[in-house]
Amino acid sequence: MVLRLVLGAVFTAMAVGQLASFGQMPGILAAYGPVNNPAGAVLAVVLITGELVCGVWFLARPRSKAIVPVWVYTGASLIWSTLAVQAFARGLAVENCGCFGVYLSQRLGWLVLVQDALMLLYAAVLLRTAHSGPSRPRRATPPVAAAEAMSRNRKGDDDG
């Protein structure tokens, strides 16, 4: 629950920062290389919407077992991580990672890559806990009843 609250606050803040600087987001995303300005606007809308949806969901319903916000979080984290890794591997100079729009800008480097890796790790944790769900205790068969049932089955086999 604490992880969801923290991630909800971070993703909501990211979405608000990006929304407040929406005019600059296509250019920020274009600095990563494979995204040009028109596609950057579409990607910005997708990222902001996803971050806002899962951020608000995690804050409003931290105990929710709904899988959709977890997948939205995972998708947004994968997009940011992919953009960062490929730009870093190609040696692109990205002055502002764009995580919070024009606010709290960070140069693309090892710190941003570590932050993205943590976001993916948190996604894995959320996916694992969402899929495991609450464990249901299985009805245990009392040992005596199980032995009697096996004995009846053996007697039935001997009769035939």
Side-chain angles (χ1 to χ4, degrees):
M1 182 178 89
V2 173
L3 178 61
R4 286 174 178 256
L5 288 171
V6 170
L7 294 177
V10 169
F11 259 44
T12 302
M14 286 172 64
V16 169
Q18 292 167 15
L19 197 55
S21 52
F22 186 76
Q24 291 86 8
M25 284 305 294
I28 290 170
L29 293 170
Y32 283 98
V35 180
N36 57 18
N37 277 340
V42 172
L43 183 58
V45 169
V46 168
L47 285 169
I48 293 168
T49 302
E51 291 162 358
L52 199 54
V53 165
C54 70
V56 169
W57 186 278
F58 287 168
L59 288 173
R61 304 198 56 196
R63 293 184 189 272
S64 171
K65 294 296 180 183
I67 192 70
V68 172
V70 174
W71 278 113
V72 171
Y73 169 82
T74 302
S77 297
L78 278 170
I79 291 171
W80 279 115
S81 297
T82 302
L83 286 172
V85 167
Q86 64 81 34
F88 187 80
R90 293 177 12 185
L92 297 179
V94 178
E95 295 302 318
N96 178 6
C97 68
C99 299
F100 295 92
V102 296
Y103 308 98
L104 301 173
S105 66
Q106 295 180 73
R107 188 167 211 266
L108 179 60
W110 284 107
L111 180 61
V112 172
L113 294 176
V114 168
Q115 291 168 347
D116 286 343
L118 285 172
M119 296 302 259
L120 291 176
L121 175 67
Y122 300 149
V125 168
L126 290 173
L127 286 169
R128 181 179 165 97
T129 57
H131 283 298
S132 65
S135 60
R136 294 184 188 149
R138 288 196 280 169
R139 257 182 65 180
T141 307
V144 174
E148 288 174 357
M150 285 179 22
S151 175
R152 277 194 301 266
N153 286 341
R154 275 192 245 139
K155 285 181 184 177
D157 291 342
D158 294 342
D159 294 340

